[in-house]
């Protein structure tokens, strides 16, 4: 198996662009919906450019770069490929990676359920969208 740097760079560019668009949409929605009203003011971090930049870097590493490299290594032996394959992998990552952690946090810490559901919605859009892009690009 040969590692395709051209295909990986397309995945990184398009996945990063998708993350920026989703972050903008989720950020606008967060301003309209009072999700952080139940939290003490000293626990809520101010969102400035540095916060958005660091958040994007972490999301880019975990939602785009690592899945693209791993998908590149395994897409030839996976029984499914293309858009459906990417969506299936994204849904698998969401259900078995993010949902259990969110449920554990709901039961251990008094975090409003609306905030957790909002975070899960954002994570689901990010991981399924980026994996769909990666799956589509590897099917070309």
């Amino acid at each position: 198996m040969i590692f395709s740097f051209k295909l990986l760079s397309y995945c990184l560019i398009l996945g990063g662009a998708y993350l920026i668009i989703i972050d903008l949409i989720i950020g606008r929605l967060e301003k309209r919906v009072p999700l952080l009203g139940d939290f003490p003011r000293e626990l809520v971090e101010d969102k400035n450019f540095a916060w958005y930049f660091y958040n994007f870097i972490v999301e880019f590493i975990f939602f785009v770069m690592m899945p693209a490299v791993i998908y590149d290594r395994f897409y030839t032996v996976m029984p499914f490929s293309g858009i459906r394959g990417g969506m299936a992998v994204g849904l698998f990552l969401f259900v078995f990676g993010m949902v259990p952690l969110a449920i554990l946090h709901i039961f251990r810490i008094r975090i409003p359920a609306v905030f957790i559901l909002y975070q899960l919605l954002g994570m689901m859009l990010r991981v399924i969208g980026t994996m769909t892009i990666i799956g589509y690009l590897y099917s070309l």
Side-chain angles (χ1 to χ4, degrees):
M1 292 195 305
I2 298 173
F3 195 75
S4 173
F5 287 106
K6 184 177 180 181
L7 191 54
L8 179 64
S9 64
Y10 285 142
C11 289
L12 296 180
I13 291 169
L14 291 176
Y18 176 77
L19 278 182
I20 290 172
I21 291 168
I22 288 296
D23 283 344
L24 290 173
I25 292 170
I26 294 291
R28 291 217 184 239
L29 184 62
E30 188 175 326
K31 289 180 183 177
R32 298 195 185 265
V33 180
L35 295 171
L36 301 173
D38 294 336
F39 288 100
R41 256 348 259 164
E42 60 271 3
L43 292 180
V44 179
E45 189 172 346
D46 292 331
K47 293 183 179 178
N48 52 20
F49 178 75
W51 185 89
Y52 283 108
F53 180 73
Y54 293 134
N55 191 37
F56 173 75
I57 294 298
V58 170
E59 288 177 356
F60 183 78
I61 290 170
F62 286 106
F63 291 136
V64 179
M65 193 162 57
M66 285 175 50
V69 170
I70 293 169
Y71 197 90
D72 180 73
R73 295 289 87 196
F74 292 108
Y75 82 98
T76 56
V77 295
M78 289 190 340
F80 43 81
S81 63
I83 292 175
R84 282 191 273 165
M87 289 178 81
V89 170
L91 190 59
F92 176 81
L93 291 173
F94 175 73
V95 169
F96 292 107
M98 296 173 199
V99 173
L101 180 64
I103 291 172
L104 288 173
H105 281 304
I106 284 178
F107 290 125
R108 296 196 66 198
I109 305 170
R110 291 186 180 183
I111 299 175
V114 174
F115 178 75
I116 294 291
L117 291 175
Y118 173 78
Q119 292 295 320
L120 282 174
L121 174 68
M123 295 297 170
M124 183 182 71
L125 290 175
R126 287 174 181 98
V127 73
I128 290 178
T130 55
M131 288 308 301
T132 301
I133 290 170
I134 292 168
Y136 172 72
L137 289 175
Y138 274 95
S139 70
L140 295 180

